[in-house]
Amino acid sequence: MQNRIIEIGKEQSDPSVFLEALIEVADLEITRQNYGNAKTLLAQFKNHDISVVDFSVLTMAQIIEAKLAREDKDFARAKRRYQETTDLVMERARYSADSETGYWTVESEYLELFESYADFLIERGKNEEAVQLLDRVKTINDASMLQNPLITS
């Protein structure tokens, strides 16, 4: 089935469809604990021009990379990948919040990132860092509201 998904992606004229399929199948492979297959798919993804995919797909690719590093017991690399990706998502949220409501669009990949990163921190005994991460997520809308022209006027 996974090969069929990738083949369908290859047949599309839009390379982003193929690249997104690679990431979705890699995520499935991690769920099935087929880490070698996930690594192969991620490497295949990285060998292409990834500038054509949506930010949410790039986010998912980074989550997969962090999970694979975690599985390889390379906790420093996993934490670095989670942290850098979280910072990018938070920055994007600040600048993409709706100026009238102050709310930002939360993609499912962002939620997976925050949950996976928090779980990683808790597993490592870094409960305080996990709370700080979740507090940052919780207060994103608050920070966006402060930039709301209706409030500042």
Side-chain angles (χ1 to χ4, degrees):
M1 170 122 170
Q2 68 193 22
N3 290 335
R4 182 68 186 128
I5 293 170
I6 293 171
E7 287 304 317
I8 291 169
K10 282 182 181 177
E11 293 168 1
Q12 302 295 316
S13 60
D14 183 357
S16 67
V17 174
F18 167 66
L19 294 173
E20 186 172 349
L22 285 175
I23 291 304
E24 289 177 7
V25 174
D27 188 41
L28 285 172
E29 292 294 350
I30 286 178
T31 302
R32 296 167 64 197
Q33 298 182 345
N34 294 330
Y35 301 110
N37 291 348
K39 285 179 185 180
T40 301
L41 292 164
L42 184 62
Q44 199 175 350
F45 173 80
K46 288 181 172 185
N47 284 332
H48 289 83
D49 177 13
I50 59 173
S51 68
V52 299
V53 297
D54 291 336
F55 184 74
S56 60
V57 176
L58 293 173
T59 300
M60 194 66 219
Q62 296 304 309
I63 295 167
I64 290 168
E65 191 168 335
K67 287 180 177 181
L68 291 171
R70 180 178 175 180
E71 184 60 30
D72 288 343
K73 309 275 189 256
D74 188 347
F75 301 122
R77 188 176 61 145
K79 183 174 183 183
R80 189 171 50 254
R81 186 62 52 227
Y82 279 129
Q83 181 65 53
E84 290 171 358
T85 307
T86 297
D87 290 346
L88 287 172
V89 168
M90 295 293 207
E91 189 71 17
R92 184 176 178 92
R94 275 190 209 90
Y95 290 107
S96 66
D98 183 282
S99 62
E100 289 183 24
T101 65
Y103 291 106
W104 59 293
T105 303
V106 181
E107 302 286 342
S108 62
E109 292 83 2
Y110 303 168
L111 296 176
E112 183 170 344
L113 169 66
F114 302 141
E115 183 179 345
S116 183
Y117 188 18
D119 289 345
F120 171 80
L121 291 170
I122 291 166
E123 287 171 6
R124 308 265 54 81
K126 308 227 182 244
N127 296 342
E128 189 173 317
E129 284 184 54
V131 169
Q132 289 172 350
L133 166 68
L134 297 174
D135 188 57
R136 279 179 67 195
V137 172
K138 179 184 77 73
T139 58
I140 276 251
N141 285 333
D142 297 341
S144 298
M145 284 295 289
L146 293 176
Q147 296 172 4
N148 184 329
L150 296 174
I151 291 175
T152 56
S153 60

